[in-house]
Amino acid sequence: MDADVIVVGAGPVGLFLAAELKLAGVEPLVLERLKTPSEEPKARGLGALATEALWRRGLGEQLAKADVEGTKDLARDHGSTRGHFANIFKIVPREDRPRTNIWQPELERVLAGHAAGVRVLRGHGVTAVESDVDGVTVTAEKAWRAKYVVGCDGGRSTVRKLAGFEFPGTPALLRTIAGQVRFAGEVPPAGRYPGGAFLHGGSMVGTTEPAANPEPVTTADFAASVRRITGADVVVEEFREERRFGDQARQVPGYRRGRVFLAGDAAHVHSPSGGQGLNLGLLDAANLGWKLGAVLRGEKPETFLDTYTRERHPAGEAVLRNTRAQSALLAPGPHVDALREIVAEVMDLPEANRYFADLLSGVRDRYDFPYPAPKPAGEHCPDVEIVDTDGHESRLHEHTRTGRGLLLTSDHVTEPRVDVVSATNTGPLLLRPDGVIAWAGEGSPATALDTWF
Ligand SMILES: Cc1cc2nc3c(=O)[nH]c(=O)nc-3n(C[C@H](O)[C@H](O)[C@H](O)COP(=O)(O)OP(=O)(O)OC[C@H]3O[C@@H](n4cnc5c(N)ncnc54)[C@H](O)[C@@H]3O)c2cc1C
């Protein structure tokens, strides 16, 4: 074996998964097609659950630093630091479950530093994946052997195709041309027009397109698209990082086929509306990493890995649902204009506003457990304050860097399977390594301990 787990793709999800595997005491190997990291400024924000997951691993200071600049950029580009649903910028961020405004290349640098002890081979595009009873052979330049492979290779995932995963869903409703644009002279205002939308998102500018077009996008196409939508003749001096993308929403029915797993965009694609892709993908990695570790260390049976699909598929489904709803609200036409006005009015109601914030952050997602587990069991634990028996104050994320489970209790308990932290103001709580509450104080934690550890 060249490694315990081969991770295909050194995007954010692959890097975080590899670091989680290392922390779990198993040996990952990352194979990445690109020779150097991508500087494409895709995502600019990280949802609350992913923010908390990275804080739990000691990356909080770096995120907080990046957030200062990221928030300034957001205010400059959108005239607001509020979140949006279908470009209705009204969502008040939750102070107790903060997101991070960070550009994706910066996030990938932070994650690459975090995964510094992991073998990452760049310039190694995977072209074949074959499973047998003992392991998997992954071909990238040469053949590599491991027990498992995880495709974290993005929306067009080669691993997904090679391993024969189905990828059902809905085709694109809206198609966009986008790129980094420098105009000379007058630029029409951004917004909705009768025939489509003209979008400014900082250096990225886009227009919606009436039909699919498989051809590469040119500067002339872009200028013609702006004219078609706004009626204005623009002069485009520079058009870089150009691309066409659609808001198709697809998800694999199961995230595992034998020894092959998928995580991140490889398992689910949807429109970028509401900035949820990273939140979803990094949480896939957080969910899968410790479980693979437990199985590879021989502490859990193979079937334990099936809980990965059981828990993460519904989370993906929920994002596909809300991004489809956002696409419907972004379509052109007077009927949608009227619907948008009504949704915007509803968002002014504080309770509704909180609903949209929670919907996009995933904090309402709750895993189903195979044992009776009253709320908040199944939810991701926020970064709570902890006061120990000596009155010393700390926060949850200061106790989670080991990547082990955690029992927060005011009792003097010895439990070798997890770390035990004295807490008089919260709990008792049993947390899994991915920050999910496994048990919350009712009865004994024995069943929860046996199930997860
Ligand atoms: C315009 C835009 C804006 C967005 N805004 C946001 C946002 O604000 N917030 C948010 O959360 N999300 C946002 N997203 C989505 C977010 O960018 C993705 O969800 C995220 O990049 C997914 O990470 P990933 O690691 O799964 O895949 P990727 O980032 O696609 O990484 C996959 C990696 O695999 C490598 N790879 C591919 N094929 C192979 C192969 N055969 N062999 C080896 N390596 C391979 C690739 O080179 C790449 O490095 C946005 C997306 C777009 C397009």
Side-chain angles (χ1 to χ4, degrees), residues 28-220:
L29 166 67
V30 181
L31 301 174
E32 164 59 48
R33 181 168 58 190
L34 298 178
K35 290 208 167 81
T36 53
S38 164
E39 286 297 321
E40 203 182 337
K42 291 197 285 188
R44 63 184 307 161
L46 201 56
L49 296 181
T51 296
E52 288 165 2
L54 301 195
W55 272 81
R56 282 197 298 273
R57 298 298 183 250
L59 303 176
E61 265 178 39
Q62 294 178 68
L63 294 194
K65 201 165 150 221
D67 182 65
V68 175
E69 288 309 309
T71 304
K72 276 189 209 154
D73 291 352
L74 195 65
R76 178 198 64 208
D77 298 341
H78 292 163
S80 163
T81 53
R82 291 199 169 185
H84 74 91
F85 189 78
N87 287 348
I88 304 171
F89 282 85
K90 288 202 167 186
I91 301 175
V92 182
R94 275 182 66 156
E95 280 181 16
D96 59 335
R97 307 295 298 252
R99 357 181 336 112
T100 307
N101 295 313
I102 181 170
W103 289 101
Q104 188 157 334
E106 180 59 19
L107 174 71
E108 291 186 25
R109 276 190 281 281
V110 170
L111 290 171
H114 179 53
V118 172
R119 250 190 320 161
V120 180
L121 300 181
R122 293 194 160 272
H124 283 64
V126 168
T127 50
V129 173
E130 276 167 51
S131 297
D132 54 61
V133 282
D134 300 319
V136 280
T137 305
V138 177
T139 308
E141 306 293 311
K142 58 165 255 193
W144 305 87
R145 285 284 290 168
K147 286 275 183 199
Y148 298 102
V149 58
V150 188
C152 302
D153 52 342
R156 298 200 167 100
S157 173
T158 306
V159 174
R160 186 179 68 225
K161 290 170 198 149
L162 289 171
F165 284 85
E166 287 176 48
F167 203 36
T170 45
L173 182 68
L174 301 174
R175 295 168 193 86
T176 305
I177 297 181
Q180 295 201 39
V181 183
R182 204 176 62 239
F183 293 102
E186 290 274 305
V187 183
R192 287 168 64 75
Y193 288 82
F198 178 47
L199 312 155
H200 297 197
S203 56
M204 290 301 279
V205 177
T207 53
T208 50
E209 284 287 276
N213 183 346
E215 297 302 318
V217 54
T218 64
T219 307

Side-chain angles (χ1 to χ4, degrees), residues 371-391:
Y371 51 87
K375 259 184 164 183
E379 294 176 354
H380 286 83
C381 190
D383 189 29
V384 289
E385 189 184 52
I386 295 171
V387 182
D388 70 14
T389 39
D390 298 328

